[in-house]
Amino acid sequence: MLNKPLTVNDLESIDPEFYNSLMWIKDNNIEECGLEMFFSVDKEILGEISTNDLKPGGGDIQVTEENKEEYIKLIAEWRLSRGVEEQTQAFFEGFNEVLPQQYLQYFDAKELEVMLCGMQEIDLGDWQRNTIYRHYTRTSKQIVWFWQVSGKQQDEHIYLPQ
């Protein structure tokens, strides 16, 4: 969304196991381990396996200590984009109808996440102090129930899953 290239680190929150596997490859000598990896990847769709080259002729290019950084970069890009290019493009087009791309240049990744997803932590005390009631009062039974269900006592925090 910010027109920044995808990186291996983007995988950490999306697929931690895959990310950890790539970090293992990065941190270890794969030639000593006897791993025979190539610049290609198998993908299963509805029981049918297809092989995709990560670069031209990738099925014939073995991953070595010298080229494993390139392999990690290419497989991370593949994992982040596999099979969702059309959906991603449709999402961007729809999103840019609401918020044109030129306005996104002012945000970094964390700011954009907060704008789209909100804060991950809610201060209930602050929320209660700043709530404006319409057709209700602070002591209306529905409001009292809401605060009881929402969270205990003033100044506690609720942590929302990411």
Side-chain angles (χ1 to χ4, degrees), residues 3 7 20 45 86 120 129 141:
N3 284 329
T7 68
N20 289 336
I45 299 177
E86 290 179 35
Q120 298 300 319
R129 287 188 298 277
K141 66 180 177 181

Side-chain angles (χ1 to χ4, degrees), residues 84-96:
V84 294
E85 292 87 358
E86 290 179 35
Q87 295 90 334
T88 301
Q89 186 60 37
F91 173 80
F92 288 150
E93 288 172 8
F95 185 84
N96 289 327

Side-chain angles (χ1 to χ4, degrees), residues 1 90-104 115-116:
M1 294 180 75
F91 173 80
F92 288 150
E93 288 172 8
F95 185 84
N96 289 327
E97 286 181 20
V98 176
L99 186 64
Q101 183 68 37
Q102 69 251 25
Y103 296 126
L104 296 179
M115 183 178 79
L116 294 175

Side-chain angles (χ1 to χ4, degrees), residues 16 47 49-51 74 81 87 126 134 159:
I49 297 175
S50 63
T51 300
L74 292 173
S81 64
Q87 295 90 334
D126 181 61
R134 294 197 177 108
Y159 296 94

Side-chain angles (χ1 to χ4, degrees), residues 34-125:
L35 294 178
E36 288 195 23
M37 298 184 306
F38 295 86
F39 278 81
S40 64
V41 64
D42 292 336
K43 174 170 78 170
E44 181 183 346
I45 299 177
L46 300 173
E48 188 174 316
I49 297 175
S50 63
T51 300
N52 299 318
D53 287 343
L54 297 173
K55 66 182 198 175
D60 298 322
I61 303 170
Q62 189 165 358
V63 179
T64 64
E65 278 301 300
E66 290 76 37
N67 65 16
K68 73 179 180 183
E69 291 288 333
E70 179 187 14
Y71 171 80
I72 290 169
K73 176 184 172 286
L74 292 173
I75 200 159
E77 288 173 359
W78 173 84
R79 174 62 183 86
L80 288 164
S81 64
R82 69 175 175 183
V84 294
E85 292 87 358
E86 290 179 35
Q87 295 90 334
T88 301
Q89 186 60 37
F91 173 80
F92 288 150
E93 288 172 8
F95 185 84
N96 289 327
E97 286 181 20
V98 176
L99 186 64
Q101 183 68 37
Q102 69 251 25
Y103 296 126
L104 296 179
Q105 69 183 341
Y106 302 108
F107 296 97
D108 65 22
K110 288 290 183 194
E111 291 169 333
L112 184 59
E113 179 182 6
V114 169
M115 183 178 79
L116 294 175
C117 304
M119 299 295 291
Q120 298 300 319
E121 181 181 312
I122 296 174
D123 182 339
L124 285 177

Side-chain angles (χ1 to χ4, degrees), residues 121-131 133 138 146-160:
E121 181 181 312
I122 296 174
D123 182 339
L124 285 177
D126 181 61
W127 197 10
Q128 287 175 322
R129 287 188 298 277
N130 293 289
T131 298
Y133 300 100
R138 183 180 303 251
F146 175 80
W147 292 120
Q148 286 173 345
V149 169
S150 295
K152 325 205 179 155
Q153 299 187 3
Q154 202 169 11
D155 294 325
E156 288 189 10
H157 294 77
I158 294 177
Y159 296 94
L160 301 175

Side-chain angles (χ1 to χ4, degrees), residues 7-23:
T7 68
V8 175
N9 293 335
D10 295 322
L11 268 176
E12 188 172 16
S13 62
I14 295 168
D15 190 342
E17 288 181 30
F18 193 80
Y19 171 82
N20 289 336
S21 296
L22 294 180
M23 292 302 96

